[in-house]
Amino acid sequence: MAFLSGLSAFPITPSDRDGRIDTKALRKLVTRLCAAKVDSIGLLGSTGTYIYLTREERRRALAEALDEAGGQTPIVVGVGALRTDEAVRLAQDAKALGAAAGLLAAVSYTPLTDDEVFEHFSVVAREGGLPIVIYDNPGTTHFHFTPTLVGRLAKVPGIVAIKNPTDKSDAIDSHLAGQRSIVPEGFSIGCSGDWNATEAMIAGADTWYSVLGGILPEVCIKIVRSSQAGDAAEARRLDAALTPIWDLFKQFSSLRVVYVLAELLDICRAEPPRPVLPLSAVAKRQIVEALERLPAGTAR
């Protein structure tokens, strides 16, 4: 699927303290991403704090984003939930509204077995009726998709892609090659973990599922296009210029940093959902300084 390649940009979901979506701010973010010509928008991912929102607010966010995108940019939307039946309903909602695909993580309180995750994903893909992207996010879910499980899921009708973590930078090449060998042709292999994503794209990943792309899409698009064109040197040059941002992501988490970036860039004023607290004034000053160090034209 063509939309599951290139840059998938993941914006925040601005909302008030009661979890009600700020639709004006969300539309502004979507307009910005469409104008930058990202390949897809990753709505209601971890950066979009999907797990903190009700089904009603998730539907409202998706409806507003789809309306603003106007069919110009496909939207991949988070459909993860603790219960399988809830995830099915969220996938059905997303399909009915017009989402291109659903992003599904192995969200759980009780640790899950491989067979439980296989059944969960299979049921959501079958009953939800929406193409599903596997979201391997062990830093949050504490569940890691083994090669065996990925190979099984990739054969399930309706499961079309995977979003991989890239925390082990020295294993990116071997991980991608190994995954290519166990999934069907046309199955999209993507990466997250922004500070290692350039190397993953150079190594042949199909998609960069990007947090920074949701707030600074232009530079991320340039990295992706350079990687796709085989210009690894240019991709690495652009990536190196973002080192101040990557350092902040590692220090404070990408989620907290992008909320500050949205304010500094005069896109919107919002706070992450409680109990996640906004960053301190000292931390915000570090982000201001990092923005000032970026090359001209990057922070817009």
Side-chain angles (χ1 to χ4, degrees):
M1 291 185 175
F3 68 90
L4 291 175
S5 64
L7 179 67
S8 189
F10 279 65
I12 62 172
T13 309
S15 61
D16 62 22
R17 291 198 178 186
D18 294 322
R20 186 161 179 81
I21 305 300
D22 179 345
T23 56
K24 182 179 179 181
L26 180 61
R27 282 177 172 269
K28 190 172 182 180
L29 285 159
V30 170
T31 296
R32 182 182 177 89
L33 299 179
C34 291
K37 300 189 183 304
V38 301
D39 296 290
S40 65
I41 294 172
L43 195 75
L44 301 178
S46 294
T47 304
T49 55
Y50 72 97
I51 206 67
Y52 297 92
L53 298 170
T54 64
R55 180 185 177 190
E56 178 184 357
E57 287 303 301
R58 292 207 214 181
R59 277 200 305 256
R60 197 158 75 95
L62 178 57
E64 295 284 344
L66 285 164
D67 183 65
E68 190 65 26
Q72 177 182 348
T73 307
I75 293 182
V76 179
V77 64
V79 296
L82 284 168
R83 293 175 56 95
T84 301
D85 56 347
E86 289 181 40
V88 166
R89 286 190 287 271
L90 290 163
Q92 291 171 340
D93 289 346
K95 178 179 174 61
L97 287 168
L103 181 66
L104 183 61
V107 181
S108 184
Y109 180 82
T110 301
L112 298 175
T113 67
D114 280 14
D115 285 342
E116 288 167 338
V117 170
F118 179 81
E119 179 70 10
H120 177 65
F121 275 69
S122 299
V123 170
V124 174
R126 182 176 65 251
E127 297 183 12
L130 186 71
I132 294 296
V133 179
I134 300 166
Y135 185 8
D136 189 0
N137 187 17
T140 296
T141 64
H142 307 291
F143 182 88
H144 180 72
F145 287 80
T146 64
T148 299
L149 179 56
V150 171
R152 290 174 65 195
L153 286 170
K155 296 179 178 66
V156 173
I159 298 180
V160 298
I162 186 167
K163 175 179 183 285
N164 288 295
T166 57
D167 51 317
K168 297 178 180 178
S169 58
D170 58 344
I172 289 173
D173 285 16
S174 60
H175 180 77
L176 287 174
Q179 211 162 68
R180 289 272 182 225
S181 71
I182 59 173
V183 300
E185 185 177 353
F187 188 90
S188 175
I189 298 177
C191 60
S192 58
D194 277 4
W195 49 87
N196 286 325
T198 295
E199 291 304 317
M201 293 302 293
I202 291 169
D206 296 304
T207 312
W208 177 12
Y209 296 93
S210 176
V211 176
L212 191 65
I215 198 76
L216 294 178
E218 289 87 355
V219 65
C220 297
I221 278 282
K222 289 177 181 177
I223 289 172
V224 167
R225 298 294 180 254
S226 296
S227 301
Q228 291 173 326
D231 192 349
E234 176 63 5
R236 288 181 174 126
R237 184 190 70 79
L238 292 164
D239 177 73
L242 295 171
T243 297
I245 300 295
W246 304 151
D247 289 343
L248 291 167
F249 276 15
K250 294 172 189 177
Q251 183 176 357
F252 298 117
S253 84
S254 57
L255 175 67
R256 294 180 178 90
V257 173
V258 291
Y259 269 87
V260 177
L261 289 174
E263 180 178 339
L264 293 175
L265 297 170
D266 199 29
I267 298 169
C268 65
R269 291 178 178 269
E271 293 183 358
R274 299 300 174 96
V276 183
L277 294 174
L279 290 177
S280 68
V282 172
K284 288 181 179 179
R285 183 60 202 166
Q286 288 180 247
I287 297 170
V288 170
E289 291 170 355
L291 277 179
E292 290 172 348
R293 294 201 301 274
L294 293 180
T298 300
R300 59 183 177 84

